[in-house]
Amino acid sequence: MSGPYVIRGSVSLPEAELLWRFSRSSGPGGQHVNTSDTQVELRFDLARTEALPPVWKERALERLAGRLVDGVVTVRASEHRSQWRNREVAAVRLASLLAEATAPPPKPRKPTRIPRGINERRLREKKQRSETKRGRSGRDWR
């Protein structure tokens, strides 16, 4: 593996808490595909981890609730023929998933009002357009 996978700042995925599982992958590979376990399943116990700050952990548990099974988040990778590359892809995918799930919520939108002049100009232009269209008809609509 190529070092620790940073989630954000100084927080990274602890190698000891990652659970790897390998199985045979479908797809291209010829005779090789039937003999090697290239599909990677990476599991991370989000509910029991101590690697994340409590606020991040709570936020991630809330945001990933639909993906969790008993507090464990699972990521699969099988797009490469090599188990090594699939391991890399799965770890990066998990790190980015956790980074997104632990990100602070966006600042609330500050409602703004449309200036009165702009609204009046819009209504005036609508009225003018209406008069133009009304003038095209042969009848008198007044």
Side-chain angles (χ1 to χ4, degrees), residues 54-120:
V55 177
W56 287 19
K57 186 173 164 180
E58 187 179 308
R59 204 180 287 156
L61 285 169
E62 183 182 315
R63 290 183 182 169
L64 297 174
R67 277 192 79 145
L68 298 177
V69 177
D70 297 330
V72 178
V73 65
T74 305
V75 174
R76 268 202 190 115
S78 63
E79 48 267 7
H80 298 289
R81 291 185 186 189
S82 152
Q83 184 188 99
W84 184 261
R85 287 175 70 189
N86 282 332
R87 283 176 65 122
E88 291 284 325
V89 168
V92 167
R93 204 178 285 165
L94 178 64
S96 66
L97 179 72
L98 289 174
E100 193 177 312
T102 59
K107 289 183 181 177
R109 184 186 171 275
K110 193 181 203 180
T112 56
R113 289 183 59 218
I114 298 172
R116 202 168 110 202
I118 290 176
N119 204 29
E120 287 176 356

Side-chain angles (χ1 to χ4, degrees), residues 22-39 80-83:
F22 308 102
S23 59
R24 295 202 176 117
S25 179
S26 62
Q31 295 172 339
H32 173 71
V33 78
N34 299 324
T35 59
S36 60
D37 296 336
T38 55
Q39 180 174 320
H80 298 289
R81 291 185 186 189
S82 152
Q83 184 188 99

Side-chain angles (χ1 to χ4, degrees), residues 122-136:
R122 181 183 65 85
L123 293 173
R124 193 169 48 250
E125 287 172 359
K126 277 180 69 152
K127 190 88 147 166
Q128 189 177 358
R129 184 77 180 148
S130 168
E131 290 299 323
T132 302
K133 287 189 170 193
R134 187 179 289 159
R136 290 179 187 157

